[in-house]
Amino acid sequence: MQEWANQLCENRQFGSKMTDSKYFTTTKKGEIFELKAELNSDKKEKKKEAVKKVIASMTVGKDVSALFPDVVNCMQTDNLELKKLVYLYLMNYAKSQPDMAIMAVNTFVKDCEDPNPLIRALAVRTMGCIRVDKITEYLCEPLRKCLKDEDPYVRKTAAVCVAKLHDINAQLVEDQGFLDTLKDLISDSNPMVVANAVAALSEIAESHPNSNLLDLNPQTINKLLTALNECTEWGQIFILDCLANYTPRDDRESQSICERVTPRLSHANSAVVLSAVKVLMKFMEMLPKDLDYYGTLLKKLAPPLVTLLSAEPELQYVALRNINLIVQRRPEIMKHEMKVFFVKYNDPIYVKLEKLDIMIRLASQANIAQVLAELKEYATEVDVDFVRKAVRAIGRCAIKVEQSAERCVSTLLDLIQTKVNYVVQEAIVVIKDIFRKYPNKYESVIATLCENLDSLDEPEARAAMIWIVGEYAERIDNADELLESFLEGFHDESTQVQLQLLTAIVKLFLKKPTETQELVQQVLSLATQDSDNPDLRDRGYIYWRLLSTDPVAAKEVVLAEKPLISEETDLIEPTLLEELICHIGTLASVYHKPPSAFVEGSRGVQHKRLPGSAGSGESVDSPETTSTAGVSDAPPAVIPSQGDLLGDLLNLDLTPTTAGPPPPAPSSGMQLGGMDLLGGGLDSLMGDESEPLGGDLGGTPAIGAGFGAAPAALPASFSAPVSGGLDDLFDLGGGVGMPMGAYSPPKSVWLPAMKAKGLEISGTFARRAGVIQMEMTLTNKAMSVMTDFAIQFNRNSFGLSPAGPLQVLTPLSPNQSIEVALPLNTSGPVMKMDPLNNLQVAVKNNIDVFYFSCQYPISMLFVEDGKMERQIFLATWKDIPNDNESQFQIKDCHLSSDAASNKLQGSNIFTIAKRTVDGQDMLYQSMKLTNGIWVLAELRIQAGNPNYTISLKCRAAEVSQCVFQSYEAVLKN
Amino acid sequence: MIGGLFIYNHKGEVLISRVYRDDIGRNAVDAFRVNVIHARQQVRSPVTNIARTSFFHVKRSNIWLAAVTKQNVNAAMVFEFLYKMCDVMTAYFGKISEENIKNNFVLIYELLDEILDFGYPQNSETGALKTFITQQGIKGQLQTKEEQSQITSQVTGQIGWRREGIKYRRNELFLDVLESVNLLMSPQGQVLSAHVSGRVVMKSYLSGMPECKFGMNDKIVIDKQGKGGATDDAGKSGKQSIAIDDCTFHQCVRLSKFDSERSISFIPPDGEYELMRYRTTKDIILPFRVIPLVREVGRTKLEVKVVIKSNFKPSLLAQKIEVRIPTPLNTSGVQVICMKGKAKYKASENAIVWKIKRMAGMKESQISAEIELLPTNDKKKWARPPISMNFEVPFAPSGLKVRYLKVFESKLNYSDHDVIKWVRYIGRSGIYETRC
């Protein structure tokens, strides 16, 4: 090896440059002046030296912008090194001296014509970095030439330059047609040009979320996959990251891309490997699970992920954060690899903590003995955070793997014996969780815990201990003494401890009323009279009242059986997890936050999602099952369901006892634009179909449910859009001047503030100029500002889904209302609902996710071209079996048949023919739903009779009821 | 993408600062210094987010390299790039030190301009870079048109790591199989985890554009070849084939070919490079076994006895053996007796360091020590760090054997037989620990 090192030394190029460090030292007065003189010197060497000094000063942060003209003067040189230095200076200062920067333009333009490709590229590269508007104008022509340069080196540089220019002036780039040229470069013969073009396009596309810039189709994908084999490691990363944004048409295409990407898993560059993993993880969603290839692919993923753990520690960290996500999404990949996550003595702390996290996720009955032995080892380490986490991990193992609980408890007891303060406290916190999971099993250890009462100085540990004493008061002889001892310093305790103490003493009182009356009175008065904390006071009052009015009820409430705590806490919310899987390898996957949480501006606001789980109509069955499986795995703790007030009250009592941090969703403050919010919540709520939905959702939809309720006033949203164009004019000869437009019910409250932590939503649906809109008023009735609104629908009968994100751009301050119109389309996933027009909605803000359901008037789905030819109408009417006909009565309607016809036409119910028989008008009408279902109607109006009779015929008879409701609503308003 | 790249010395003074994106201001330089370099506590993560700006850092000796961004960049790529940056700098001017960086700052700026464009990493193969970024400066003028286009086609080409027209009088290549064997053993001698991470480093001095094919005793390949594959060289080695858990290759290796046929074919870069890395976990030869015995005698004394056994062919010699036995922080004095080598208590490192120059296979040696402790009232128990070992052995603990490395160069008139090939195996200890 030695001789190889010698070789290395020969390659060094010291020469005269040994002394460059001297440039860093000068700091005397009049320096600028001296430099000026040197820059204008005739001697080339001296000039170069001076420029170097200038750059050195610039590096350390000195302002040398005063030398601008002098440095620019040095630009006209044959010396490439000097030229590069001057360019470097220009990039730094051009912005502060835009007028003088113009002086440099000529040289740039000239250099772009230089016979030497290196100089041409240098010029175009530098020019793009000079962010001065005037210069960018001059840049266009040279850039255009360079994009078509014969030399690939120039082309690859020009490709990046388009991205630079776009960053300065996006409009200019579009106007000049550079984007098209850039797209052409994807088919370039040189792989590096392709890679840079892909990188530039991906970045530009990111700031134009809806543009179809990166038009990925099977042909371009094929080109990219070919270039993938040939370009540099960095180029491979750009291409793989771009591929990950593509959604294959079917499982076959998905498989063939996977097959061509898997060889990348053996690349030496970890980033290439991780990006390949990202593509595979995403496309795998589309593969049927019973496919042989699916299993092969799963097996192929584990080894490269393990190999990443022998990379440098920083990369290990990135890899571990990603493995953490992968393990949550597909536990089967790493399930046999537990050992590689064992902590090494000199791993950096950040690697240790991450490994620990993954160990717990992988813990199972099969490996629990090993894991526990390791964890016990870690609990004696030096780093306090690490030790705490290790102790907590032991507790989590006990909860996760039932068979190990006993061993975990005894390990924890051993640790308590060490008397190391923070170990003891951490152990007590987790033991409390174990009690919650396995009641009446390990209470024998309480005595040992009580011995350590005095050493507890952290609120969490004190609260845990108090909870234990209160919960098991009947088994602890001196429970009253123990609790009393805490009571002495009641006001110095943290709220967490105070609340816990209050509850514990009340529990104690209910269990041993005779001896503890005094104690309970003391704590109630402390909580209600001497405390400033509203939570504490309120809880105190509630207990007080409960105890004084009905002690039996108090017993039922306070000593109610608690639900067992969930096995897996701290799982990432499934929808967020899906998004993060799409971001494998990136910062988002390192932070475990969506990009919108840490990226400013429009970039990164787009939400990516896995293909299969999108549930689009044509997707294969298996991904559906995957996504639902993922949901059912998710514990209810991840998305807190909305309880009523009483439930909340009980929750207060429970909150400190549920292990782990609060659900990640609200704390990360993310915007969940296009995400499937319902994936986690509603789907699982819907699991039991027999139960009325209202009950499931915490009673929300019971309020006014929109449609059926009689509107109090004439709807304000009675606007008159030009709905049908010419057709309407001809048909409605008589009805001039009638306000026409689709009927829209008045707004009703969908989500009362009480159910949604202060957010009130009322709304209605309307069809305006052919576009279905959901019009809502969001009112903030809480005390704090609300931000980051997002909306998502559950699958519904007609595939309604938001056509764009919920546009609430400004934060909603307390007592403020905002009107939002959300355009909808009908291309979402379809699932038949009951009633048919029921829509389940999830709205998210920075505080929480809220669910409600509402009903939309089906008339909103009547399309403008719903007028049937007479002949066809007749034929269809006959064709539809009579079983499908249903008849309804519309009462108390005083419109003439013409007026009714006009009114209905406004809602796209078209009258095809009218017949009058015996003073009875018969209107034959047709309408078409967005999904192509035709409904035919016969409306009979008897002059002088306010009751109309309507017969509906439709191949899908289920819609008749809804259509009738729409008729009624339209006619009566 | 990467918005800026800064290099600091240990005091937090900026040595190099290159900003690529408009969203990164000069204040980012200070933010990193204040929040990371001058941070009170130890840095808990290599990625830091300060005011919506993300900083990635790596440290080389006392130099900090930081990449900055405001976007959701590919984090793995940023770190890979920082390592690459270090490699490139080392290849140009040797060790990364404050002095070298200051001496070469113009060069570094030039490199940064070339290998990172608008924050996108570009070709960073030293071989290619050295053809046109030199510190002579004059090269730019003296190039002919052919040379220029050769440079650009190499930098952007499919074989960016090798230039055409290389000539050697003697075609020669060196293969080093370098393995590091890692072990974590319980005090009872149970293997908790063991793996070998190996590298095949190649140094090639070959003319033209040679096509190479590398073969080793990979179980999958050998099994595939079946009976016919039981050739002489495979028969000779005791273990026929090894199971490789995973391997990664230099970018010159055709990955799709490896994926389909498991053959390793490539056109090598000129000079030294790492052909492949691999990892094995099965049937590892553990060159040494450490048997610890720690006994607490009262509160102020520890008795430690450690036996090491070498476990390889008696004809082979292990070298540079070092056993490190940790001692408690309150150690006041140590008496050591060892049969072989030298042992010393190093108070500053809280360890007894036992060194043996050479040791043959199938031997055994022992050290015993008495450790006197100062009485303390510190409740916290001593963490008992594991006993670690360092050594070097002249074989591959994974059992990997090079079966062949064939060279084909159709255009020039030398054949595989004319190439002089050297192979050697070195096994080193990675993290080789036994808990006590």
Side-chain angles (χ1 to χ4, degrees), chain A residues 372-385:
Chain A
L372 265 184
E374 281 293 308
L375 291 176
K376 198 175 172 184
E377 199 73 38
Y378 304 159
T380 58
E381 280 247 20
V382 238
D383 190 284
V384 178
D385 280 351

Side-chain angles (χ1 to χ4, degrees), chain A residues 369-410:
Chain A
Q370 266 186 323
V371 174
L372 265 184
E374 281 293 308
L375 291 176
K376 198 175 172 184
E377 199 73 38
Y378 304 159
T380 58
E381 280 247 20
V382 238
D383 190 284
V384 178
D385 280 351
F386 181 59
V387 171
R388 281 175 182 274
K389 201 164 182 172
V391 176
R392 227 163 247 240
I394 296 174
R396 271 164 68 185
C397 283
I399 290 163
K400 194 172 172 197
V401 187
E402 189 165 354
Q403 295 79 1
S404 75
E406 196 161 346
R407 222 173 330 166
C408 293
V409 171
S410 75

Side-chain angles (χ1 to χ4, degrees), chain A residues 1 3-4 7 11-13 17-18 20-21 23-24 52 55-56 58-61 78-81 84-85 88 91 95 116-118 122 125 131 151-153 156-157 160 163-164 190 192 196 199 203 230 232-234 237-238 241 263-264 266-271 274-275 300 303-304 306-307 312 314-315 317-318 339 344-346 349-350 374 377 380 383 385 422 583 585-588 590-591 595-600 603, chain B residues 1 14-18 21-22 26 42 44-49 52 54 56-58 69-77 79-81 83-84 92-94 102-103 105-106 109-110 113-114 117-118 120-125 130 132-135 137 140-141 143 148 152 155-156 158 174 176 184 191-193 195 201 203 205 245-251 255-256 258-259 272 277 279 379-380 383 385-386 424 431 433 435:
Chain A
M1 296 301 282
E3 51 155 330
W4 297 15
Q7 170 84 25
N11 287 339
R12 294 183 193 177
Q13 286 149 7
K17 307 300 171 282
M18 263 316 264
D20 274 2
S21 60
Y23 301 118
F24 282 85
K52 280 189 187 175
I55 301 290
M58 196 174 83
T59 299
V60 296
D78 300 334
N79 186 318
L80 200 55
E81 193 190 1
K84 284 184 181 173
L85 287 174
L88 188 63
M91 285 187 261
K95 221 176 153 190
N116 186 342
L118 292 172
L122 179 66
R125 184 165 68 211
R131 305 177 59 92
D151 194 295
Y153 183 77
K156 72 113 184 158
T157 313
V160 176
K164 293 179 188 170
N190 185 294
M192 193 153 171
N196 276 5
E203 183 166 345
E230 295 167 352
T232 64
E233 44 194 331
W234 315 115
I237 300 169
F238 305 152
D241 284 351
R264 299 297 120 197
S266 309
H267 202 285
N269 187 313
S270 308
L274 267 179
S275 291
K300 276 191 176 170
V306 174
T307 299
E312 289 84 346
E314 292 88 2
L315 268 175
Y317 174 72
V318 174
K339 275 189 178 178
K344 291 182 192 133
Y345 186 68
N346 34 4
I349 182 67
Y350 49 81
E374 281 293 308
E377 199 73 38
T380 58
D383 190 284
D385 280 351
Y422 54 83
H583 286 293
T586 69
L587 264 180
V590 174
Y591 294 146
S596 52
F598 59 92
V599 174
E600 278 167 3
R603 281 202 179 107
Chain B
M1 282 305 119
V14 198
L15 304 177
I16 297 288
S17 130
R18 177 76 163 89
R21 294 284 174 125
D22 202 37
R26 185 83 202 173
Q42 187 198 355
R44 306 291 276 197
S45 160
V47 185
T48 323
N49 193 314
R52 289 196 153 223
S54 299
F56 300 77
H57 74 263
V58 298
T69 182
K70 285 207 167 188
Q71 298 181 22
N72 181 29
V73 297
N74 188 320
M77 183 185 80
F79 280 124
E80 283 283 2
F81 177 79
Y83 303 142
K84 193 70 171 198
Y92 266 94
F93 53 75
K102 282 184 170 175
N103 279 337
F105 81 97
V106 172
Y109 276 125
E110 210 174 315
D113 200 39
E114 184 60 43
D117 190 4
F118 200 43
Y120 293 112
Q122 304 291 306
N123 194 338
S124 44
E125 286 299 311
K130 279 188 173 171
F132 68 108
I133 295 190
T134 62
Q135 268 295 59
Q141 284 79 54
Q143 287 155 355
Q148 286 164 5
T152 58
V155 174
T156 60
Q158 290 184 26
F174 301 82
D176 275 2
L184 185 62
V191 177
L192 296 173
S193 76
H195 74 272
V201 176
K203 195 176 156 196
Y205 296 117
D245 287 34
D246 187 38
C247 45
T248 60
F249 296 98
H250 184 267
Q251 57 171 322
L255 294 181
S256 36
F258 178 75
D259 194 56
E272 183 185 340
R277 279 182 188 227
R279 191 165 49 77
K379 268 192 203 158
K380 212 175 127 185
R424 80 179 151 172
I431 294 161
E433 294 175 340
R435 288 182 179 154

